[in-house]
């Protein structure tokens, strides 16, 4: 018996010696086991194997420990010489990410060790910057530390009794969570150890993109000084996230493959190929996923290593074989149903030939039908909802979706809980990836934390993706680099111009349509003009960038009354920046923005002479409009007497080549009484 006890004693001493082999100074700490647990997990570090357990914890170290424990993202800020006021969100669809979104959050954290962790904690709004300062080297109190942990655990977007909820989860002396004295390092370790290697606690990460619109290259947003976006940066970020958090989902909320030159020239193939490299789990169809014929979508679905979701998209009355209504993924033991919903009015916003045979089940009834089907099979139900304004209506009509990732709104907003569902925005144009962490305790979601991770110029990039992008771009540039003319002035094609007021660029485009067909008048929808051109050379690439859609030039015969109705519909959504807003050639029109929709138009003239409502005129447009796109159904009653095989960009390119040098101006073709801006 004595010999046996001796062996037990020796074994115990050996275990203790091995346990503390990495840290020399924690044997006397009552929290040594917690420290060892965090050290083994890589959450805390020790210089020269010394942890200093009784020293106070600095705010900088607190940020690092919390970020690592709860698998938050580290955030690399961009350093500028000029001072820029920090921004976090924009709620106007015309907004863009610029350098203000990626500069350091506080003046006193720039270039210090651990800056990226502090930024990560600020990003999820678990900490605040006061008077531009974070005070990284000051001691953090128990109450401050506990509050930051609680905000990460339970979120910040709804009222919560943080102290009460945290005390239910953390097994520590109660005074640690409320004391106003500086917290010791060993005490902080004890608090965090409750969430490390705890089988009852799980973190599931959801990464989402939305409205990429073919932006595989960095681009310079209007008004910004530095380029943003690019899928090679997104790919690098996703790869780093997978390294620290294998339990993640990567999803896209629609409108990914098309709408830039390189994406359109290869019919979406570059985007799908890169999404494969990034390891997407699912993508829902957006309205712009119908910008090419249906067989192109079918081909891209076969190219993709992930499912295309379209719960309410029908072809000849049936669900197409290459679309899935939903998928169920099991992540760390949690079954998650992902339902894909597409705006049921999508057929109105693309070329009619692309949606021949396609119909859409009413979006909210489809959402309810699918929810009823998947709920018994899943622990959580997620909607990828490309419903534009309907994203926020969905939870008011259909109760039960845990998270709704929204597409088509083109905003950068914080999550909002609507009727029990979290509505999550993920930006546009590859400018960001949204990261949502679901914190799960005993099988229940106890809270979420959220971050927009902006793809700024200073971030690393995935070199394999860079090679793929460059291979496609080089093929594109060979064709599109040809100079076809010059402009003496900047050509304004900004979204906030072409969709809200007269544009000199859109004037020139409308003129090019009239010149091609020889009609009396021409119109161009603002939504079809997608970029500006600076003064100087005009290349084929510029023309493709301005006019990326494959819309053909068509001429119709229309009465003065029908033209009046067309223009009245074009301004009906004002002051919303709607694509149906019309630019004109050969015409002038005036409207009063203060009047109700469809009662706004005051006059329509040509060279000052009012149009005769009974007279028939000739009018050039594009086949998107003449096919009833953007709900211009009045065109369906008009006679088409010219149906060209030329795209809009062909007409404009020929116009530039014919004139050599252009200098269009705003001529008063559109006059707005009581404008909104």
């Amino acid at each position: 018996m004595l010999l046996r006890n001796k062996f037990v004693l020796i074994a115990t001493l050996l275990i203790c010696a091995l346990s503390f082999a990495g840290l020399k100074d924690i044997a006397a700490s009552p929290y040594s086991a917690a420290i060892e647990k965090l050290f083994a997990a890589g959450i805390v570090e020790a210089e020269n194997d010394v942890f200093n357990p009784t020293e106070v914890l600095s705010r900088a170290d607190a940020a690092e420990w919390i970020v690592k424990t709860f698998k938050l993202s580290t955030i690399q800020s961009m350093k500028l010489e000029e001072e820029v006021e920090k921004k976090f969100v924009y709620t106007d669809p015309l907004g863009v990410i610029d350098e203000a979104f990626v500069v350091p959050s506080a003046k006193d954290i720039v270039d210090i060790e651990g800056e990226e962790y502090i930024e990560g904690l600020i990003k999820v709004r678990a900490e605040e910057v006061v008077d531009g300062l974070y005070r990284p080297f000051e001691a953090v109190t128990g109450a401050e530390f506990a509050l930051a942990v609680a905000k990460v655990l339970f979120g910040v977007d709804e009222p919560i009794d943080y102290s009460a909820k945290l005390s239910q989860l953390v097994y520590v002396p109660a005074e640690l969570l409320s004391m106003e004295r500086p917290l010791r390092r060993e005490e902080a370790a004890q608090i965090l150890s409750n969430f490390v290697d705890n089988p009852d606690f799980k973190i599931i990460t959801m990464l989402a993109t939305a409205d990429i619109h073919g932006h595989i290259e960095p681009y310079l947003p209007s008004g910004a000084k530095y380029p943003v976006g690019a899928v090679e940066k997104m790919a690098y970020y996703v790869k780093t996230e997978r390294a620290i958090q294998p339990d993640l989902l990567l999803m896209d909320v629609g409108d990914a493959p098309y709408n830039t030159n390189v994406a359109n020239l290869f019919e979406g193939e570059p985007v799908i190929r890169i999404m494969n490299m990034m390891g997407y789990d699912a993508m829902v169809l957006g309205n712009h996923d119908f910008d090419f014929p249906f067989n192109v979508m079918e081909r891209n679905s076969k190219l993709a290593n992930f499912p295309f979701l379209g719960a309410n998209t029908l072809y000849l009355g049936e669900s197409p074989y290459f679309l899935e209504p939903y998928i169920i993924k099991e992540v760390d033991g949690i079954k998650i149903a992902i339902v894909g919903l597409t705006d049921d009015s999508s057929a109105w916003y693309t070329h009619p030939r692309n949606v021949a045979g396609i119909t859409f089940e009413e979006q909210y009834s489809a959402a309810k039908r699918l929810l009823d089907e998947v709920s018994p099979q899943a622990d959580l139900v997620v909607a990828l909802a490309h419903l534009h304004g309907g994203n926020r209506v969905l939870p008011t009509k259909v109760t039960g979706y845990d998270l709704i990732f929204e597409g088509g709104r083109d905003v950068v907003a914080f999550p909002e809980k609507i009727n029990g569902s979290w509505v999550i925005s993920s930006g546009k144009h590859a400018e960001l990836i949204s990261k949502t962490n679901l914190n799960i305790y005993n099988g229940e979601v106890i809270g979420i934390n959220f971050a927009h991770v902006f793809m700024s110029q200073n971030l690393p990039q995935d070199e394999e993706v860079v090679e793929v992008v460059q291979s496609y771009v080089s093929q594109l540039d060979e064709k599109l680099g040809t100079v076809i003319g010059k402009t003496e002035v900047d050509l304004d094609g900004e979204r906030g111009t072409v969709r809200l007021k007269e544009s000199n660029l859109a004037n020139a485009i409308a003129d090019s349509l009239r010149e091609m067909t020889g009609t009396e008048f021409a119109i161009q929808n603002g939504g079809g003009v997608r970029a500006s051109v600076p003064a100087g050379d005009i290349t084929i690439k510029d023309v493709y960038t301005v006019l990326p859609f494959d819309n053909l030039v068509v001429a119709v015969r229309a009465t003065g009354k029908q033209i009046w109705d067309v223009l009245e519909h074009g301004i009906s959504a004002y002051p919303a920046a709607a694509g149906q807003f019309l630019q004109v050639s050969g015409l002038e029109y005036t409207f009063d923005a203060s009047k109700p929709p469809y009662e706004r138009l005051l006059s329509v003239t040509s060279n000052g002479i009012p149009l005769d409502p009974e007279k028939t005129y000739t009018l050039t447009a594009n086949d998107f409009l003449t096919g009833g796109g953007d709900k211009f159904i009045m065109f369906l009653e008009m006679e088409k007497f010219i149906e060209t095989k030329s795209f809009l960009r062909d007409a404009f390119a020929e116009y530039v080549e014919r004139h050599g040098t252009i200098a269009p101006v705003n001529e008063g073709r559109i006059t707005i009484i009581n404008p909104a801006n």
Side-chain angles (χ1 to χ4, degrees):
M1 180 66 71
L2 289 175
L3 184 61
R4 179 182 176 186
N5 288 341
K6 182 178 180 180
F7 281 134
V8 169
L9 178 60
I10 292 172
T12 303
L13 291 172
L14 284 172
I15 291 172
C16 291
L18 289 172
S19 174
F20 300 134
L23 299 172
K24 300 175 181 177
D25 61 344
I26 67 170
S29 172
Y31 306 115
S32 58
I35 298 169
E36 280 291 330
K37 184 187 288 188
L38 268 61
F39 183 71
I43 294 169
V44 303
E45 298 176 357
E47 187 174 347
N48 297 323
D49 297 331
V50 174
F51 179 72
N52 298 312
T54 59
E55 286 190 3
V56 298
L57 182 69
S58 71
R59 290 168 55 80
D61 283 346
E64 179 177 351
W65 294 8
I66 293 172
V67 165
K68 288 180 176 179
T69 298
F70 296 106
K71 302 185 187 301
L72 308 182
S73 290
T74 56
I75 302 297
Q76 308 291 334
S77 61
M78 190 166 77
K79 311 304 189 298
L80 306 177
E81 291 184 4
E82 64 270 31
E83 188 168 334
V84 178
E85 183 179 353
K86 182 79 172 180
K87 295 180 183 177
F88 297 94
V89 298
Y90 63 74
T91 56
D92 184 343
L94 299 179
V96 294
I97 294 300
D98 59 22
E99 49 273 15
F101 288 80
V102 295
V103 294
S105 299
K107 300 174 184 177
D108 57 352
I109 66 173
V110 177
D111 293 331
I112 69 167
E113 184 177 354
E115 175 189 356
E116 68 274 21
Y117 297 106
I118 297 171
E119 290 283 9
L121 198 58
I122 293 172
K123 176 66 75 172
V124 298
R125 293 168 290 155
E127 282 280 30
E128 297 180 358
V129 174
V130 180
D131 297 328
L133 301 175
Y134 183 77
R135 300 173 287 113
F137 303 114
E138 290 186 10
V140 64
T141 68
E144 290 170 337
F145 187 80
L147 181 60
V149 168
K151 286 182 174 181
V152 169
L153 275 171
F154 306 116
V156 298
D157 292 295
E158 56 182 341
I160 292 171
D161 185 343
Y162 289 116
S163 59
K165 289 181 73 72
L166 184 61
S167 63
Q168 295 172 5
L169 299 184
V170 178
Y171 303 106
V172 296
E175 62 270 15
L176 287 186
L177 303 179
S178 59
M179 67 185 182
E180 296 301 326
R181 72 157 172 82
L183 190 68
R184 295 196 301 270
R185 291 165 61 85
E186 61 183 358
E187 295 168 332
Q190 178 64 28
I191 294 172
L192 293 180
S193 69
N194 290 269
F195 305 99
V196 179
D197 294 330
N198 183 341
D200 296 328
F201 179 70
K202 298 178 180 181
I203 299 171
I204 292 177
T205 296
M206 296 184 180
L207 303 181
T209 56
D211 297 274
I212 292 174
H213 287 292
H215 283 78
I216 64 173
E217 297 180 88
Y219 69 102
L220 189 68
S222 176
K225 295 181 180 179
Y226 304 91
V228 300
V231 289
E232 59 261 32
K233 298 182 186 301
M234 295 171 62
Y236 184 90
Y237 170 73
V238 171
K239 187 177 291 186
T240 60
E241 282 293 302
R242 291 192 195 279
I244 64 171
Q245 170 60 315
D247 299 320
L248 66 76
L249 292 172
L250 175 60
M251 304 170 290
D252 184 80
V253 203
D255 283 1
Y258 314 125
N259 305 146
T260 61
N261 293 336
V262 67
N264 286 354
L265 183 65
F266 298 100
E267 297 185 326
E269 177 186 307
V271 179
I272 300 300
R273 183 177 170 190
I274 293 165
M275 291 174 76
N276 282 343
M277 295 174 72
M278 293 172 63
Y280 273 81
D281 292 286
M283 179 192 87
V284 70
L285 300 182
N287 58 299
H288 281 285
D289 286 285
F290 298 90
D291 281 349
F292 281 77
F294 204 50
N295 66 313
V296 175
M297 182 190 296
E298 180 182 14
R299 187 186 67 219
N300 282 336
S301 74
K302 294 177 180 178
L303 175 64
N305 295 335
F306 52 90
F308 284 17
L309 303 184
N312 59 323
T313 299
L314 305 174
Y315 181 68
L316 300 179
E318 302 289 337
S319 179
Y321 76 92
F322 60 88
L323 298 181
E324 298 288 345
Y326 65 89
I327 59 171
I328 296 179
K329 303 280 288 189
E330 184 168 328
V331 183
D332 198 12
I334 304 296
K335 291 183 178 180
I336 303 172
I338 305 172
V339 176
L341 299 167
T342 303
D343 192 325
D344 57 18
S345 63
S346 291
W348 290 106
Y349 302 108
T350 190
H351 195 292
R353 69 170 178 266
N354 296 340
V355 287
I358 296 175
T359 55
F360 295 91
E361 181 183 354
E362 197 276 333
Q363 57 200 33
Y364 304 120
S365 61
K368 179 66 167 62
R369 176 175 60 82
L370 268 297
L371 181 67
D372 291 343
E373 181 174 341
V374 302
S375 290
Q377 308 175 55
D379 302 304
L380 296 169
V381 183
V382 173
L384 301 183
H386 197 97
L387 306 182
H388 300 89
N391 300 319
R392 299 166 62 79
V393 178
L394 174 59
T396 68
K397 289 182 174 290
V398 182
T399 303
Y401 283 94
D402 296 288
L403 295 100
I404 298 170
F405 289 88
E406 60 172 351
R409 274 191 71 217
D410 293 350
V411 299
V412 174
F414 291 132
E416 185 174 355
K417 201 167 195 179
I418 302 176
N419 200 28
S421 300
W422 285 108
V423 180
I424 309 290
S425 77
S426 302
K428 62 176 182 286
H429 298 177
E431 67 188 5
L432 67 86
I433 295 180
S434 74
K435 177 179 179 179
T436 307
N437 274 358
L438 282 69
N439 297 315
I440 299 174
Y441 191 78
N442 282 334
E444 298 291 328
V445 178
I446 59 174
I448 70 169
N449 57 69
F450 176 84
H452 291 120
V453 183
F454 301 120
M455 300 295 113
S456 52
Q457 182 186 27
N458 60 303
L459 295 185
Q461 56 194 20
D462 186 294
E463 294 303 327
E464 291 183 1
V465 174
V466 170
E467 288 183 13
V468 172
V469 171
Q470 289 178 344
S471 69
Y472 284 108
V473 171
S474 62
Q475 296 175 63
L476 175 76
D477 288 344
E478 288 178 14
K479 178 179 178 180
L480 301 184
T482 306
V483 175
I484 59 173
K486 295 180 182 293
T487 173
E488 294 181 346
V489 298
D490 291 339
L491 304 179
D492 185 359
E494 294 303 309
R495 183 184 175 108
T497 301
V498 295
R499 296 174 179 234
L500 293 171
K501 53 191 173 184
E502 184 179 350
S503 154
N504 69 333
L505 172 57
N507 282 351
I509 293 169
D511 290 345
S512 75
L513 302 181
R514 192 155 62 103
E515 281 195 12
M516 172 175 272
T517 58
T519 57
E520 295 165 278
F521 314 130
I523 60 173
Q524 170 60 40
N525 53 308
V529 181
R530 309 296 281 196
S532 297
V533 180
D537 290 342
I538 301 175
T539 65
I540 296 177
K541 184 175 183 178
D542 291 326
V543 175
Y544 269 68
T545 303
V546 169
L547 298 167
F549 303 121
D550 290 342
N551 298 139
L552 297 172
V553 179
V554 177
V556 299
R557 291 188 173 94
T559 66
K561 174 64 167 60
Q562 288 176 318
I563 293 173
W564 180 286
D565 291 343
V566 165
L567 295 172
E568 187 79 83
H569 178 64
I571 58 176
S572 62
Y574 183 93
Q580 70 198 57
F581 189 89
L582 295 175
Q583 306 285 335
V584 296
S585 175
L587 292 170
E588 311 90 33
Y589 69 91
T590 300
F591 70 95
D592 186 343
S594 67
K595 293 183 177 296
Y598 300 101
E599 298 178 17
R600 293 172 169 175
L601 203 55
L602 301 180
S603 68
V604 181
T605 60
S606 178
N607 294 320
I609 300 173
L611 265 61
D612 182 343
E614 304 300 323
K615 182 178 177 179
T616 298
Y617 301 91
T618 56
L619 172 72
T620 303
N622 59 68
D623 60 350
F624 168 70
L625 294 176
T626 61
D630 270 343
K631 299 187 180 180
F632 280 98
I633 57 175
M634 60 288 295
F635 273 108
L636 301 178
E637 301 176 357
M638 300 178 194
E639 176 197 355
K640 300 175 185 175
F641 72 98
I642 298 176
E643 296 187 67
T644 76
K645 298 300 182 183
S646 297
F647 295 120
L648 290 178
R649 55 179 169 266
D650 299 327
F652 185 52
E654 291 171 10
Y655 175 85
V656 172
E657 287 183 298
R658 186 164 52 249
H659 289 269
T661 300
I662 63 174
V665 297
N666 290 338
E667 303 170 347
R669 299 183 187 186
I670 303 172
T671 302
I672 306 174
I673 308 299
N674 298 313
N677 46 31

